[in-house]
Amino acid sequence: MSDTPFGFGLPPEEPEDGDEGKKKESPGEGQSGGQGGRGAGGPANPFGFGFPGAGGPGGGDNPFAAMFGSMNPNDLGAAFQQLGQMLSYEGGPVNWDMAKDIARQTVSQGTPDGVKDTSIGPAERSAVEEAVRLADLWLDDATSLPSGSGTAVAWSRAEWVEATLPVWKELVDPVAERVGLAMGDVLPEEMQAMAGPLIGMMRSMGGAMFGQQIGQAVGVLAGEVVGSTDIGLPLGPSGKAALLPVNIEAFGKDLGIDKDEVRLYLALREAAHQRLFAHVPWLRSHLFGAVEGYARGIKVDTAKLEDVVGQLDPQNPEQLQEALQQGMFQPEDTPAQKAALARLETALALVEGWVDAVVHAAAKPRLSSADALRETLRRRRATGGPAEQTFATLIGLELRPRRLRDASRLWASLTDARGVDGRDGLWEHPDMLPTASDLDDPDGFVHREQLDFSELDKMLGEAAKGGESKSDDKSDGEGDKGTEDGGK
């Protein structure tokens, strides 16, 4: 670590008039910037700021020379302006305003294959609404869960960004909070007590770093997703089935399948997710709780964080994204962390496996391309895209169902053995669901006797009512006794 904590420094300016415009550096100036503002005879300054009159070339003319190197006033002002924009944020662990702006900018640039975002016209909205309506009709035969789609909407990529950012906030903030705390730990212990403002500045910088990276990832993901539930989590508003026509067209472009069939199959998947999340009230909190539980067990690599911070250059903000993409999170190798990861991976697999099995049952008799589309979607979820990889390095977690095929086979076996009602009844309580070990032995789980939690809940409810009744009787008796005593 250099004498200037965090290594804040800017590269020499590029002169507008060639070599003649370069400022000739005296032998002492180059040394001053790397010595934290120490004068020839003055004391060392732990924060690297030179002071007027402190002696040596780092002090007299430019009090910030040690921090920013040799710069002319115009460049120095521009650097402070850019840095100020980053440090002016005073909110939570992620600068979400910055994230939204960058996501919208990324969307406006289009995808690498040249497909630009477009506004949604009446014909596309009508096609999506009709596809979701028909999908819900078909799903009535494949699942006992009723429709969960109050409305069906067609979104542009920009509309997807706006609608899903609140959920990304829930996912990312727990991890970002840990990074914000870790940024203060980068300072040497003896300096932390006197560096309150600097620590606050570093946390603001961390919020900007996350905001930039999240915005970039959400913007890229907006060019890949076809609905609001593509990653197995409910990213959109409750009860609103959403599809992205521009991405659906790009998805089906090279499949050789009629675009109406592609749209309908994807509508089946979106509508099936909506049914599950609408009628299994504990499922959303279960999934998000598993993500948060995993996040609590993540350690921040402070050595790598220090390297990232040391490379910060306000004139080159892209370096922030590149540095953060390297990843700085290390899951703790503890039983609790392993259990949290297993819970999350199993939950994602069960959700995606159920959707896969139910959609296949609904589509197979009606769509000639059902098998081909099923396999394409399975591979898509198994491999993920560049944006999913960005989130993996950013929050230390891959939102990907590793055991989708195993879970789908188990749900299909349950349908054969217990029927649609018996299969879907397992969603009544989280303890009734298959575990990771059950995915290894699906036959054993299918034929195992299951606890009837509905009866247990009924018994507990009756017991609670009985207790309340006895308490009321006792109160009434005491009241009568009090009256009698008072009448004596």
Side-chain angles (χ1 to χ4, degrees):
M1 193 169 177
S2 66
D3 289 334
T4 305
F6 305 108
F8 284 102
L10 298 177
E13 73 275 18
E14 292 294 335
E16 296 180 357
D17 53 352
D19 293 338
E20 294 180 0
K22 292 184 179 179
K23 180 179 178 180
K24 293 185 179 179
E25 182 180 51
S26 66
E29 286 178 333
Q31 185 179 0
S32 170
Q35 292 297 321
R38 300 185 188 187
N45 179 1
F47 293 100
F49 290 92
F51 294 95
D61 296 328
N62 182 356
F64 298 102
M67 186 176 184
F68 289 102
S70 177
M71 300 183 67
N72 64 47
N74 291 334
D75 288 341
L76 185 61
F80 270 121
Q81 184 178 4
Q82 294 178 27
L83 187 60
Q85 291 173 355
M86 194 173 290
L87 300 181
S88 61
Y89 175 70
E90 297 179 353
V94 178
N95 188 333
W96 287 103
D97 290 335
M98 177 182 288
K100 183 171 75 171
D101 290 343
I102 292 178
R104 293 293 298 264
Q105 292 170 12
T106 303
V107 164
S108 67
Q109 293 170 3
T111 52
D113 58 2
V115 178
K116 296 282 189 179
D117 192 23
T118 58
S119 58
I120 305 300
E124 291 173 316
R125 295 187 189 279
S126 178
V128 167
E129 291 171 358
E130 176 62 21
V132 172
R133 186 198 66 77
L134 186 56
D136 260 333
L137 187 64
W138 289 2
L139 287 172
D140 285 339
D141 296 332
T143 174
S144 62
L145 299 180
S147 173
S149 308
T151 57
V153 294
W155 282 342
S156 66
R157 293 166 179 171
E159 288 173 324
W160 183 89
V161 168
E162 295 281 352
T164 62
L165 273 178
V167 177
W168 290 119
K169 188 175 188 298
E170 288 186 58
L171 286 171
V172 176
D173 271 354
V175 180
E177 181 67 33
R178 294 182 66 85
V179 176
L181 295 174
M183 294 191 87
D185 296 336
V186 177
L187 278 175
E189 186 174 347
E190 64 274 10
M191 293 170 57
Q192 290 186 17
M194 56 186 293
L198 186 57
I199 293 176
M201 182 182 73
M202 292 308 304
R203 288 178 179 168
S204 295
M205 185 76 76
M209 291 168 65
F210 264 100
Q212 286 186 334
Q213 195 62 25
I214 284 291
Q216 178 72 18
V218 169
V220 173
L221 197 58
E224 300 173 1
V225 296
V226 294
S228 70
T229 54
D230 274 24
I231 66 169
L233 297 175
L235 296 180
S238 177
K240 185 174 289 187
L243 295 175
L244 282 72
V246 65
N247 290 354
I248 291 176
E249 184 174 350
F251 169 79
K253 182 179 179 181
D254 299 323
L255 296 181
I257 300 173
D258 182 79
K259 65 179 182 180
D260 290 336
E261 285 201 15
V262 173
R263 183 193 304 112
L264 185 51
Y265 192 88
L266 296 175
L268 281 166
R269 289 183 55 82
E270 177 74 9
H273 277 104
Q274 293 294 337
R275 289 186 180 224
L276 196 57
F277 288 118
H279 299 292
V280 183
W282 54 265
L283 181 57
R284 188 183 190 279
S285 59
H286 180 75
L287 285 168
F288 281 73
V291 173
E292 186 174 354
Y294 181 80
R296 282 197 300 268
I298 289 177
K299 296 184 298 184
V300 179
D301 187 345
T302 54
K304 183 172 288 187
L305 177 61
E306 182 176 337
D307 290 340
V308 170
V309 173
Q311 297 169 10
L312 293 182
D313 174 6
Q315 290 186 328
N316 187 10
E318 291 79 8
Q319 285 186 352
L320 295 176
Q321 297 178 14
E322 296 171 1
L324 206 56
Q325 282 176 345
Q326 298 172 5
M328 61 178 68
F329 307 107
Q330 301 171 336
E332 289 183 345
D333 190 19
T334 63
Q337 179 70 349
K338 291 178 179 177
L341 179 60
R343 280 197 306 273
L344 181 58
E345 290 186 340
T346 301
L348 285 172
L350 290 174
V351 168
E352 291 295 277
W354 183 88
V355 169
D356 180 80
V358 167
V359 167
H360 184 69
K364 178 68 173 175
R366 300 175 174 95
L367 294 179
S368 59
S369 58
D371 289 335
L373 286 168
R374 182 190 202 187
E375 186 60 26
T376 299
L377 267 298
R378 280 181 167 185
R379 292 180 179 179
R380 174 185 169 96
R381 287 294 285 125
T383 58
E388 285 193 47
Q389 183 57 40
T390 298
F391 283 112
T393 57
L394 188 64
I395 66 175
L397 178 65
E398 290 183 353
L399 297 174
R400 191 176 305 155
R402 298 179 184 277
R403 307 194 65 180
L404 186 155
R405 293 176 188 268
D406 294 337
S408 182
R409 281 194 293 267
L410 188 147
W411 288 119
S413 297
L414 283 168
T415 307
D416 294 338
R418 304 184 187 183
V420 168
D421 291 343
R423 178 201 66 198
D424 293 346
L426 294 178
W427 289 107
E428 291 180 2
H429 195 283
D431 291 341
M432 296 176 67
L433 288 177
T435 63
S437 59
D438 292 327
L439 295 179
D440 296 327
D441 181 22
D443 290 337
F445 179 83
V446 169
H447 299 291
R448 186 188 311 157
E449 288 294 328
Q450 297 291 312
L451 294 175
D452 189 344
F453 280 86
S454 61
E455 288 297 322
L456 179 60
D457 290 341
K458 182 179 178 181
M459 292 171 59
L460 291 174
E462 291 176 351
K465 289 181 180 179
E468 292 175 0
S469 176
K470 290 181 180 179
S471 176
D472 292 340
D473 292 343
K474 184 177 179 181
S475 299
D476 292 342
E478 289 176 350
D480 293 342
K481 183 178 178 181
T483 303
E484 292 173 2
D485 291 343
K488 285 182 181 180

